């Protein structure tokens, strides 16, 4: 392709509204342009990368036994009503109404395709003989994200590869899952993207049933917790802290806690400043309303699938009912730690959990929000392991504008057991070995999930076994954000000058730069090399614009093609081209006659 004939609008300035490097560079290199918040055009150069990544995904899905199909983005809302996800998705689901004749039809724009594919399978698959099967597509998804941001990292319309496995047994599910997991590893490796597979919420199946693939990046929205000593890695919702229970002995002749005035100081930050005390000496007391009504609570897992979208803790089927009104439970963690609601929910076997309202807080503490503490609180409480290790704590006094100091856990309030109820942090012990945990930011680029029978039951996708008995089909779902992968590559592969494309996904492999397009010899030579490389199947972009060399070099660094070939000037007079990898600082002089062969060798080198 000749630059003059394509459409690559590069920009010198850093766009002011782009916060992260990938967003800035994708705009500057002319890969994307914004239509509106959360919606982008992939420009010709950017779309070539999308296609290369898609092709890698396709090849690895096929290799893992997946079969490609293509489903509609426009879907009947009725299917989402049957699975309960119209409510679970809430505002995230694009809801489209259309008039047909005198009827009003309700459609969803697919945020994912569990409903559509399970409906299809329910009609077509009747027997165990037709199983297992894994189907996939690469298709546009729609999610009305609360905060679309960071360019194509989080958009309301994005390209996803979504795969779904259907099996007659747990073995078939596990085989499909492992095949997808391994395919994901190959995909990200081939894309040149560093990745960490991390344990994620396990959902209805429990156990080791879900992994997210995270690309480590400073600007990643997700937190990965990993061990420096072994291969333990989990997302922050899931990660164990590696702490265990150690209940302190009762101190017999302990002095009573001291009440101190803390007027209008209802946060740990305020009180720690006021009393010049470190937050790690505080016991944070959060009061939750807990419902235990759902059957789901019995298996201790109440996380809907992530690929299918994860709802917040107050999922629709988990509200209160008359027999089981929500109950107030206080959760105690160290002042500098964060409560992990998933852990609390599992520990309590709760169907739902939400922070209590002001009235409940007043009822159990006798004070407004901000002054709760375990001493004398009028509700059940559960404590994190680290609470027991504080020897003299500051807590709320269950009284407006007052705190207690010198509170001894197990002495001033009862403490007979502790639990892992908080987010893991750096320097926690590893739950698997004697190493230490560290945290890194990551971008979630993919997710594999053992779904079980949630969708096959609600949409009646069943098979007959050998004995002609009916069972719901056992499903898995597997997503990769193709457009997000493109941004994640840019986010992790760049320098001050611009993008550094891995060869496998670069929009073109070679940038050919004739220094002066008005010089006949330069252009004859450049055109000959362009023709020969192109004929050999190498993607070449020739910068045939009438610009100064310095200008073209800057753009070459910006768009970041792996191999640069310069023709012209003094070099050409001496019979040479100059060849440079995007990652090299110095060019190599290569005789014109050997240039194509030299480039071919670079292209096929690892
Ligand atoms: P996130 O937590 O980032 O919102 P998710 O858990 O909602 O992601 P899944 O439902 O598991 O994501 O979707 C599968 C994949 O699709 C994700 O791993 C991610 O790569 C991609 N993806 C999800 N939401 C978006 C989005 N708004 N924009 C771009 N890619 C997305
Ligand atoms: Mg999401």
């Amino acid at each position: 392709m000749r630059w003059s004939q394509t459409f690559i609008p590069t920009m010198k300035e850093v766009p002011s509204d782009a916060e992260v490097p990938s967003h800035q560079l994708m705009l500057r290199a002319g890969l994307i342009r914004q239509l509106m918040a959360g919606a982008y055009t992939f420009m010709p150069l950017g779309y070539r990368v999308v296609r290369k990544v898609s092709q890698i995904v396709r090849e690895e899905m096929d290799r893992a036994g997946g079969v490609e199909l293509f489903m509609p983005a426009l879907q009947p809302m009725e299917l989402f009503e049957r699975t309960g996800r119209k409510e679970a998705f809430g505002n995230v689901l694009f809801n489209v109404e259309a008039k047909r004749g005198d009827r009003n039809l309700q459609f969803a724009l697919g945020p994912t395709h569990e409903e559509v594919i399970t409906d299809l399978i329910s009609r077509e698959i009747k027997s165990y003989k037709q199983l297992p099967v894994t189907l996939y597509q690469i298709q546009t998804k729609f999610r009305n994200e609360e905060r679309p941001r960071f360019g194509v990292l989080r958009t309301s319309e994005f390209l996803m590869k979504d795969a779904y496995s259907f099996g007659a047994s747990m073995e078939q599910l596990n085989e499909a899952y492992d095949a997808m997991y391994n395919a994901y590893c190959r995909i990200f490796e081939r894309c040149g993207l560093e990745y960490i597979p991390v344990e994620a919420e396990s959902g209805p199946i429990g156990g080791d049933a879900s992994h997210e693939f995270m690309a480590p990046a400073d600007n990643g929205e997700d937190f990965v917790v990993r061990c420096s000593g072994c291969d333990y890695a989990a997302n922050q919702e899931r990660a164990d802290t590696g702490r265990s229970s150690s209940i302190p002995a009762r101190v017999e002749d302990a002095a009573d806690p001291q009440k101190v005035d803390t007027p209008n100081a209802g946060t740990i930050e305020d009180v720690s400043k006021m009393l010049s005390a470190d937050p790690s000496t505080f016991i944070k007391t959060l009061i939750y309303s807990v419902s235990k009504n759902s059957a789901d609570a019995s298996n201790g897992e109440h996380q809907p699938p992530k690929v299918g979208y994860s709802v917040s803790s107050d999922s629709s089927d988990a509200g209160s009912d008359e027999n089981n009104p929500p109950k107030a439970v206080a959760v105690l963690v160290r002042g500098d730690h964060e409560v992990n609601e998933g852990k609390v929910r599992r520990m309590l076997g709760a169907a739902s959990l939400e922070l209590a309202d002001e009235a409940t807080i007043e009822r159990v503490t006798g004070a407004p929000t901000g002054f709760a503490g375990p001493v004398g609180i009028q509700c059940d409480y559960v404590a994190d392991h680290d609470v027991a290790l504080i020897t003299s704590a500051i807590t709320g006094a269950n009284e407006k504008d007052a705190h207690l100091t010198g509170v001894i856990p197990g002495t001033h309030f009862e403490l007979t057991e502790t639990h892992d109820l908080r987010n893991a942090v750096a320097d926690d012990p590893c739950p698997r070995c004697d190493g230490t945990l560290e945290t890194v930011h990551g971008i979630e680029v993919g997710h594999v999930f053992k779904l079980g029978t949630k969708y096959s039951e609600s949409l009646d996708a069943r098979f007959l076994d050998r004995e002609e008995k009916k069972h719901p089909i056992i499903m898995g779902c597997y997503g990769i954000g193709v457009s997000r992968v493109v941004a994640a590559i840019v986010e992790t592969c760049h320098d001050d000058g611009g993008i550094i494309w891995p060869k496998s996904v670069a929009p073109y492999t070679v940038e050919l730069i004739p220094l002066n397009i008005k010089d006949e010899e330069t252009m004859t030579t450049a055109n000959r090399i362009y023709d020969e490389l192109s004929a050999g199947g190498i993607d070449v972009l020739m910068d045939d614009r009438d610009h100064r060399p310095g200008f073209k070099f800057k753009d070459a660094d910006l768009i970041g093609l792996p191999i640069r070939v310069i023709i012209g000037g003094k070099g050409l007079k001496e019979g040479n081209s100059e060849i440079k990898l995007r990652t090299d600082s110095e060019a190599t002089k290569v005789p014109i006659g050997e240039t194509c062969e030299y480039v071919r060798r670079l292209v096929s080198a690892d």
Side-chain angles (χ1 to χ4, degrees):
M1 178 58 74
R2 289 175 162 79
W3 195 311
S4 62
Q5 286 165 15
T6 182
F7 182 37
I8 311 174
T10 56
M11 291 152 68
K12 295 279 165 280
E13 278 78 43
V14 179
S16 59
D17 55 343
E19 299 163 68
V20 296
S22 58
H23 188 190
Q24 295 167 353
L25 288 169
M26 289 182 81
L27 287 168
R28 288 187 53 211
L31 301 174
I32 55 169
R33 283 294 181 265
Q34 188 183 54
L35 171 65
M36 57 183 173
Y40 285 81
T41 297
F42 272 100
M43 303 289 279
L45 203 60
Y47 195 54
R48 288 182 71 90
V49 184
V50 170
R51 278 172 35 209
K52 289 204 172 173
V53 172
S54 303
Q55 189 52 26
I56 290 174
V57 169
R58 205 168 257 134
E59 285 169 17
E60 294 301 338
M61 283 294 112
D62 292 349
R63 180 136 80 121
V67 193
E68 188 169 8
L69 81 176
F70 192 76
M71 292 177 275
L74 200 60
Q75 309 175 358
M77 189 56 88
E78 183 244 332
L79 281 181
F80 287 86
E81 280 160 4
R82 283 171 65 193
T83 59
R85 289 215 295 180
K86 183 174 184 220
E87 259 189 276
F89 272 114
N91 285 336
V92 171
L93 194 63
F94 279 105
N95 197 325
V96 182
E97 193 178 283
K99 228 175 159 55
R100 203 172 281 167
D102 52 6
R103 286 181 307 153
N104 274 338
L105 303 178
Q106 296 290 334
F107 301 101
L109 288 177
T112 169
H113 278 72
E114 280 82 4
E115 277 78 2
V116 174
I117 199 148
T118 312
D119 178 66
L120 173 77
I121 291 296
S122 76
R123 295 163 200 273
E124 303 299 330
I125 289 195
K126 302 292 171 209
S127 159
Y128 73 96
K129 292 182 192 151
Q130 295 166 283
L131 297 169
V133 63
T134 297
L135 299 164
Y136 78 92
Q137 64 173 348
I138 297 177
Q139 212 249 17
T140 303
K141 300 287 186 255
F142 298 87
R143 294 183 187 182
N144 185 25
E145 296 277 358
E146 187 70 38
R147 275 192 78 196
R149 60 188 195 143
F150 296 161
V152 294
L153 276 174
R154 182 174 298 283
T155 43
S156 350
E157 178 183 333
F158 58 96
L159 199 59
M160 197 204 283
K161 183 286 300 173
D162 46 325
Y164 306 89
S165 68
F166 298 88
S169 63
M170 280 306 284
E171 288 76 61
Q172 289 188 351
L173 170 64
N174 291 339
E175 263 171 41
Y177 187 87
D178 292 347
M180 286 295 129
Y181 183 106
N182 293 329
Y184 277 35
C185 296
R186 283 196 298 270
I187 287 167
F188 297 126
E189 226 147 77
R190 284 183 62 186
C191 287
L193 191 60
E194 200 193 327
Y195 68 96
I196 313 172
V198 308
E199 291 179 16
E201 284 300 341
S202 51
I205 299 257
D208 198 11
S210 159
H211 288 86
E212 287 166 356
F213 286 76
M214 299 284 194
D218 291 345
N219 293 306
E221 291 182 286
D222 289 283
F223 256 116
V224 176
V225 176
R226 67 172 173 191
C227 177
S228 49
C230 70
D231 60 4
Y232 179 75
N235 70 14
Q236 193 161 43
E237 287 110 68
R238 170 86 183 172
D240 297 323
T241 59
R243 299 275 183 205
S244 54
S245 226
S246 59
I247 304 298
R250 204 184 162 81
V251 181
E252 286 310 333
D253 47 3
D256 284 344
Q258 295 287 307
K259 196 188 289 178
V260 289
D261 286 342
T262 51
N264 300 320
T267 66
I268 292 201
E269 202 190 342
D270 292 345
V271 182
S272 72
K273 266 191 208 137
M274 198 175 272
L275 304 180
S276 304
D278 195 274
S280 65
T281 62
F282 281 66
I283 296 174
K284 179 153 63 182
T285 305
L286 294 180
I287 296 156
Y288 284 91
S289 281
V290 176
S291 305
K292 294 200 182 194
N293 62 334
S294 160
D296 286 334
S298 57
N299 64 15
E301 297 282 353
H302 188 76
Q303 276 287 323
K306 279 286 283 256
V307 171
Y309 181 66
S310 139
V311 288
S312 61
S313 50
D314 51 333
S315 109
S316 57
D317 61 342
S320 58
D321 67 20
E322 278 169 19
N323 304 328
N324 279 306
K327 191 176 144 189
V329 176
V331 178
L332 315 181
V333 296
R334 212 171 77 181
D336 57 336
H337 287 154
E338 294 300 325
V339 171
N340 180 310
E341 294 186 358
K343 291 181 180 180
V344 175
R345 189 164 48 225
R346 281 191 293 276
M347 187 253 136
L348 295 172
S352 88
L353 182 79
E354 58 183 14
L355 281 170
D357 56 20
E358 193 68 41
T360 308
I361 293 171
E362 290 257 11
R363 179 166 55 78
V364 301
T365 69
T369 307
F371 302 96
V375 181
I377 196 165
Q378 297 299 310
C379 66
D380 288 351
Y381 55 84
V382 289
D384 180 70
H385 294 316
D386 292 71
V387 168
L389 303 176
I390 311 176
T391 47
S392 172
I394 301 170
T395 72
N398 297 320
E399 191 182 309
K400 187 171 169 12
D401 294 340
H403 278 73
L404 298 179
T405 63
V407 174
I408 306 175
T411 298
H412 295 128
F413 63 94
E414 197 174 304
L415 194 63
T416 50
E417 55 180 51
T418 57
H419 307 269
D420 181 358
L421 300 178
R422 64 166 173 90
N423 287 339
V425 295
D427 294 333
D428 271 334
C430 173
R432 299 270 167 83
C433 74
D434 54 12
T436 310
L437 297 180
E438 59 177 12
T439 56
V440 284
H441 283 279
I443 299 168
E444 182 195 321
V445 284
H447 192 184
V448 290
F449 195 95
K450 291 183 191 174
L451 273 176
T453 56
K454 175 178 157 80
Y455 297 96
S456 45
E457 289 194 50
S458 51
L459 297 173
D460 209 20
R462 297 175 204 271
F463 68 96
L464 292 172
D465 67 13
R466 276 169 210 277
E467 279 84 46
E468 302 274 300
K469 268 187 24 210
K470 244 186 191 180
H471 307 275
I473 300 176
I474 303 175
M475 292 174 59
C477 60
Y478 316 92
I480 289 184
V482 173
S483 41
R484 183 180 285 184
V485 165
V486 173
I489 294 170
V490 177
E491 190 65 36
T492 51
C493 306
H494 67 267
D495 62 13
D496 289 347
I499 303 169
I500 304 175
W501 288 112
K503 233 186 293 170
S504 56
V505 296
Y508 296 90
T509 313
V510 176
E511 178 160 345
L512 182 62
I513 306 181
L515 288 179
N516 176 1
I517 62 158
K518 294 192 179 117
D519 180 62
E520 210 181 301
E521 194 195 348
T522 299
M523 285 319 284
T524 312
T525 311
N527 279 322
R528 208 176 53 234
I529 291 172
Y530 176 82
D531 289 342
E532 192 180 329
L533 289 175
S534 303
I538 294 172
D539 289 335
V540 186
L541 177 68
M542 176 153 76
D543 190 349
D544 59 346
R545 295 174 301 170
D546 188 9
H547 285 310
R548 283 177 301 101
F551 182 93
K552 292 188 182 183
F553 295 161
K554 277 223 162 61
D555 266 359
D557 278 347
L558 179 60
I559 70 167
L561 305 185
I563 301 166
R564 177 201 294 188
V565 180
I566 296 168
I567 306 290
K570 199 162 142 251
L572 182 62
K573 287 211 170 68
E574 291 164 1
N576 292 322
S577 63
E578 286 180 28
I579 302 184
K580 185 175 102 57
L581 296 179
R582 174 66 179 80
T583 46
D584 288 344
S585 49
E586 296 297 323
T588 305
K589 289 195 169 69
V590 177
I592 292 292
E594 292 163 28
T595 294
C596 288
E597 181 51 31
Y598 192 93
V599 170
R600 274 192 290 273
R601 277 206 305 276
L602 286 178
V603 171
S604 51
D606 279 336

